[in-house]
Amino acid sequence: ITKFLTNELSSVTPNLANRIVKECGWDGGSGGDSDSDDGGAMNPSDLTDRHITKLVQVLRTVQMFKAPDGSCLSPLGEYNLNLGIRKVLEPEYVATA
């Protein structure tokens, strides 16, 4: 799970991933969730609903995230904005600028 956290979440470093696993109680026997022996070696596909709920709760409390990298973002543009509004909201009239 630590590899998943560091690869899929741009703001999570290996040290932070280890801290998250530890705070979830999946660090191999220091209390917490007894369903897994080594949370760092857990496969994300093996996570149960209870594991995911715990992970989300811990991620919401972690204060060490870096600001996300905005280099992968691009302007939406008027055409795409208009198209998205029409598709999702299906209004009678749309005006974008």
Side-chain angles (χ1 to χ4, degrees), residues 82 85-86 89-96:
N82 192 311
I85 290 172
R86 288 181 188 276
L89 301 175
E90 300 177 353
E92 189 172 335
Y93 301 103
V94 176
T96 56

Side-chain angles (χ1 to χ4, degrees), residues 13 16 21 23 34 41 46-47 49 64-65 67 78 81 97:
T13 63
L16 181 55
V21 167
E23 288 189 25
S34 61
D46 295 334
L47 294 177
D49 290 344
M64 295 179 60
F65 283 116
E78 182 180 354
L81 179 61

Side-chain angles (χ1 to χ4, degrees), residues 9-10 35 49 67 76 96:
L9 302 175
S10 64
D35 288 348
D49 290 344
L76 185 59
T96 56

Side-chain angles (χ1 to χ4, degrees), residues 8-45:
E8 300 301 322
L9 302 175
S10 64
S11 300
V12 177
T13 63
N15 287 339
L16 181 55
N18 288 328
R19 177 179 161 207
I20 291 168
V21 167
K22 186 174 182 180
E23 288 189 25
C24 284
W26 304 335
D27 58 340
S30 67
D33 195 336
S34 61
D35 288 348
S36 60
D37 294 330
D38 184 11
M42 287 176 70
N43 189 329
S45 64

